[in-house]
Amino acid sequence: MAEKNFISSEPLFFKIVYGVTFLAFIYVLYEMLFLESQHQSQPLKLIVLALFGVFFIRKGLSGMKQNK
């Protein structure tokens, strides 16, 4: 039987949040590389950082549940 990975075991809401987080990360990376610092959106950087935090916390909790 195939093992379920982390993303496939998540509810649809979190799959959408992870997708938006990835797209926002790509946009922030674009801003950092190609725009001057006064044109960059600082709040978006903090939001992406927080969303990555949510992802890694949920992934860690999921791993702890599987190891029990």
Side-chain angles (χ1 to χ4, degrees), residues 18-61:
Y18 301 151
V20 169
T21 301
F22 178 72
L23 292 175
F25 173 74
I26 297 297
Y27 182 73
V28 166
L29 192 61
Y30 159 77
E31 281 186 345
M32 290 175 63
L33 294 175
F34 297 109
L35 297 180
E36 297 176 9
S37 62
Q38 62 263 25
H39 296 296
Q40 294 177 5
S41 57
Q42 298 300 326
L44 183 60
K45 291 178 185 178
L46 295 175
I47 291 169
V48 169
L49 185 62
L51 289 174
F52 270 118
V54 168
F55 171 75
F56 285 115
I57 288 171
R58 287 190 56 87
K59 188 171 181 173
L61 290 175

Side-chain angles (χ1 to χ4, degrees), residues 3-6 9 59-68:
E3 230 180 277
K4 290 175 74 175
N5 64 9
F6 171 69
S9 66
K59 188 171 181 173
L61 290 175
S62 173
M64 288 184 351
K65 282 182 185 177
Q66 288 179 351
N67 291 337
K68 279 189 173 181

